[in-house]
Amino acid sequence: MNFPPWMQRAIQARLDEVTARIEHDPELSRVRGETDEAFEALFAGKNIEQTSEYAEWENRYIVSKGIENERLYMQGLRDGIQLTASLLGQSMLVEKWHESD
C-alpha cells in the first residue's frame, strides 16, 4: 500500500517530532549520561571485553536503548490508534451523509 506524498511527509514530520522529544527526555538523558560515563571507564582497562567496566557499560547501553525503543513504540501505537479512530470517524460521517441523501 503506497501512501500519498502528503501523508508520507506528515508521517515523517511526526516521527521527527517524536524522536526530538525523546532525545530531550530527562530520564533518557540521565541514562545516556550514565552510559557515557561507563563507556569512558571502559577504555581505562586493557582487555575491554573481560572487564567489569565493559559489563557495566553494556548493561547501561542496553537499558538506554530499551527505554528509547519502548517510548518510540508506545508513541507510534498511540499515533496509530488516533489515526485509525480519526479515519473511522470520518468514514462514519461520510456513510451517514450518503444515507441521508
Side-chain angles (χ1 to χ4, degrees):
M1 174 179 186
N2 289 331
F3 293 112
W6 65 267
M7 184 176 256
Q8 290 176 2
R9 287 189 301 273
I11 291 170
Q12 185 62 53
R14 181 62 177 161
L15 178 60
D16 293 345
E17 175 190 332
V18 170
T19 300
R21 189 169 9 126
I22 288 172
E23 287 291 321
H24 294 93
D25 182 87
E27 180 186 4
L28 191 52
S29 293
R30 179 188 57 77
V31 170
R32 281 191 181 135
E34 292 172 352
T35 301
D36 291 345
E37 288 174 14
F39 188 76
E40 289 171 14
L42 168 68
F43 286 107
K46 293 181 182 172
N47 190 353
I48 294 172
E49 287 82 14
Q50 294 180 359
T51 64
S52 61
E53 291 88 0
Y54 179 80
E56 180 69 19
W57 171 81
E58 186 177 39
N59 288 337
R60 290 179 185 276
Y61 180 79
I62 290 168
V63 168
S64 69
K65 284 299 174 188
I67 291 170
E68 187 175 345
N69 289 338
E70 179 182 346
R71 298 216 174 141
L72 284 169
Y73 174 80
M74 291 306 294
Q75 187 60 55
L77 188 61
R78 284 190 292 269
D79 287 352
I81 290 169
Q82 287 178 332
L83 178 61
T84 301
S86 177
L87 291 173
L88 286 174
Q90 290 296 320
S91 174
M92 292 174 71
L93 287 173
V94 168
E95 285 180 22
K96 284 185 179 183
W97 182 70
H98 284 318
E99 288 175 2
S100 66
D101 285 347

